[in-house]
Amino acid sequence: MSAYVVGAGCSLGCPPEELDGLVEEVLAAAGVGAGAVRALATIDARAGEPALVATARRRGWPLRTHAPAALAAVAVPTPSPVVAAHVGTPSVAEAAALLTAGDGRIVVAKRRSAHATCALAEVRP
């Protein structure tokens, strides 16, 4: 059975239900059950953001965080200069998912809602 990492980014004050709904959308797009997910990953500046903390807690996943420089070193399918200008890395969701997955691959590229982004990476055996 494959294992996965959900990568997520969000604006300050993002409603928890918005992020959780986006996570659900990404998992459904890949046909992946929440039980196959090893972690929720993001940028360290959002480690205490209520939407991320609530989603990880509700789903029983550990929250893994990474520094902007580490995320910026990860090649991603959909980098954003806007995100880079705001947080110092061109990707949060995809880069965090890949970095946490180790030598993984993106299964669902970044998806957006009004205040959040989410991506899914598969952990390679």
Side-chain angles (χ1 to χ4, degrees):
M1 179 176 164
S2 293
Y4 301 87
V5 173
V6 173
C10 67
S11 302
L12 293 173
C14 174
E17 59 276 4
E18 179 181 337
L19 178 60
D20 198 62
L22 189 58
V23 167
E24 192 60 37
E25 177 185 316
V26 166
L27 292 176
V32 170
V37 175
R38 287 192 181 166
L40 178 64
T42 193
I43 192 166
D44 58 8
R46 295 289 190 264
E49 185 60 28
L52 288 159
V53 172
T55 296
R57 184 176 295 134
R58 179 183 163 304
R59 293 177 176 272
W61 301 336
L63 182 61
R64 303 284 184 239
T65 64
H66 303 280
L71 296 173
V74 178
V76 297
T78 59
S80 168
V82 173
V83 172
H86 286 289
V87 295
T89 176
S91 172
V92 173
E94 290 172 338
L98 285 168
L99 197 56
T100 303
D103 183 27
R105 67 178 181 92
I106 292 290
V107 176
V108 178
K110 175 177 64 181
R111 295 207 177 177
R112 287 181 273 247
S113 65
H115 304 101
T117 59
C118 188
L120 184 68
E122 181 178 22
V123 178
R124 294 211 180 159

mmCIF file of all heavy atoms in Angstrom, residues 13 20 23 51 53 69 90 93 98-99 102 116 124:
data_model
loop_
_atom_site.group_PDB
_atom_site.id
_atom_site.type_symbol
_atom_site.label_atom_id
_atom_site.label_comp_id
_atom_site.label_asym_id
_atom_site.label_seq_id
_atom_site.Cartn_x
_atom_site.Cartn_y
_atom_site.Cartn_z
ATOM 1 N N GLY A 13 -5.325 33.295 9.186
ATOM 2 C CA GLY A 13 -6.755 33.361 9.455
ATOM 3 C C GLY A 13 -7.609 32.528 8.522
ATOM 4 O O GLY A 13 -8.834 32.650 8.529
ATOM 5 N N ASP A 20 -9.581 22.113 5.349
ATOM 6 C CA ASP A 20 -9.945 20.707 5.446
ATOM 7 C C ASP A 20 -10.723 20.256 4.207
ATOM 8 O O ASP A 20 -10.522 19.156 3.706
ATOM 9 C CB ASP A 20 -10.751 20.450 6.722
ATOM 10 C CG ASP A 20 -10.768 18.978 7.069
ATOM 11 O OD1 ASP A 20 -9.679 18.415 7.322
ATOM 12 O OD2 ASP A 20 -11.857 18.388 7.071
ATOM 13 N N VAL A 23 -8.220 19.772 1.417
ATOM 14 C CA VAL A 23 -7.501 18.508 1.644
ATOM 15 C C VAL A 23 -8.366 17.345 1.170
ATOM 16 O O VAL A 23 -7.895 16.444 0.460
ATOM 17 C CB VAL A 23 -7.112 18.338 3.133
ATOM 18 C CG1 VAL A 23 -6.654 16.920 3.429
ATOM 19 C CG2 VAL A 23 -6.037 19.350 3.516
ATOM 20 N N ALA A 51 -5.785 26.772 11.179
ATOM 21 C CA ALA A 51 -6.353 25.889 10.149
ATOM 22 C C ALA A 51 -5.479 24.659 9.941
ATOM 23 O O ALA A 51 -5.990 23.538 9.822
ATOM 24 C CB ALA A 51 -6.530 26.645 8.832
ATOM 25 N N VAL A 53 -3.154 23.415 12.109
ATOM 26 C CA VAL A 53 -3.143 22.632 13.349
ATOM 27 C C VAL A 53 -4.440 21.829 13.485
ATOM 28 O O VAL A 53 -4.420 20.638 13.801
ATOM 29 C CB VAL A 53 -2.922 23.552 14.570
ATOM 30 C CG1 VAL A 53 -3.101 22.796 15.871
ATOM 31 C CG2 VAL A 53 -1.535 24.194 14.502
ATOM 32 N N ALA A 69 14.049 28.287 2.930
ATOM 33 C CA ALA A 69 15.209 27.938 2.103
ATOM 34 C C ALA A 69 15.175 26.472 1.678
ATOM 35 O O ALA A 69 15.518 26.135 0.543
ATOM 36 C CB ALA A 69 16.503 28.247 2.849
ATOM 37 N N PRO A 90 9.115 29.744 -3.779
ATOM 38 C CA PRO A 90 8.098 29.747 -4.829
ATOM 39 C C PRO A 90 7.023 28.669 -4.668
ATOM 40 O O PRO A 90 6.080 28.612 -5.444
ATOM 41 C CB PRO A 90 8.894 29.539 -6.114
ATOM 42 C CG PRO A 90 10.166 28.926 -5.696
ATOM 43 C CD PRO A 90 10.432 29.384 -4.288
ATOM 44 N N ALA A 93 2.941 24.272 -0.710
ATOM 45 C CA ALA A 93 2.226 22.991 -0.692
ATOM 46 C C ALA A 93 3.002 21.876 -1.394
ATOM 47 O O ALA A 93 3.256 20.824 -0.797
ATOM 48 C CB ALA A 93 0.839 23.156 -1.303
ATOM 49 N N LEU A 98 6.686 17.213 -1.120
ATOM 50 C CA LEU A 98 7.830 16.476 -1.659
ATOM 51 C C LEU A 98 8.954 16.331 -0.643
ATOM 52 O O LEU A 98 9.534 15.253 -0.508
ATOM 53 C CB LEU A 98 8.356 17.169 -2.916
ATOM 54 C CG LEU A 98 7.503 16.989 -4.165
ATOM 55 C CD1 LEU A 98 7.958 17.947 -5.262
ATOM 56 C CD2 LEU A 98 7.535 15.547 -4.647
ATOM 57 N N LEU A 99 9.263 17.393 0.071
ATOM 58 C CA LEU A 99 10.350 17.355 1.042
ATOM 59 C C LEU A 99 10.044 16.361 2.168
ATOM 60 O O LEU A 99 10.909 15.594 2.589
ATOM 61 C CB LEU A 99 10.587 18.760 1.606
ATOM 62 C CG LEU A 99 11.892 19.027 2.317
ATOM 63 C CD1 LEU A 99 13.091 18.714 1.430
ATOM 64 C CD2 LEU A 99 11.950 20.482 2.755
ATOM 65 N N GLY A 102 10.289 12.651 1.126
ATOM 66 C CA GLY A 102 11.609 12.127 0.789
ATOM 67 C C GLY A 102 11.747 12.057 -0.718
ATOM 68 O O GLY A 102 11.500 13.035 -1.412
ATOM 69 N N ALA A 116 -6.220 29.005 0.686
ATOM 70 C CA ALA A 116 -5.342 27.859 0.939
ATOM 71 C C ALA A 116 -4.882 27.202 -0.358
ATOM 72 O O ALA A 116 -5.485 27.387 -1.411
ATOM 73 C CB ALA A 116 -6.071 26.828 1.807
ATOM 74 N N ARG A 124 7.872 7.270 -2.071
ATOM 75 C CA ARG A 124 8.382 6.097 -2.811
ATOM 76 C C ARG A 124 8.960 5.092 -1.824
ATOM 77 O O ARG A 124 9.604 5.481 -0.853
ATOM 78 C CB ARG A 124 9.435 6.520 -3.803
ATOM 79 C CG ARG A 124 8.795 7.397 -4.873
ATOM 80 C CD ARG A 124 9.463 7.245 -6.182
ATOM 81 N NE ARG A 124 8.756 8.144 -7.119
ATOM 82 C CZ ARG A 124 9.267 8.577 -8.222
ATOM 83 N NH1 ARG A 124 10.462 8.227 -8.563
ATOM 84 N NH2 ARG A 124 8.580 9.363 -9.009
#
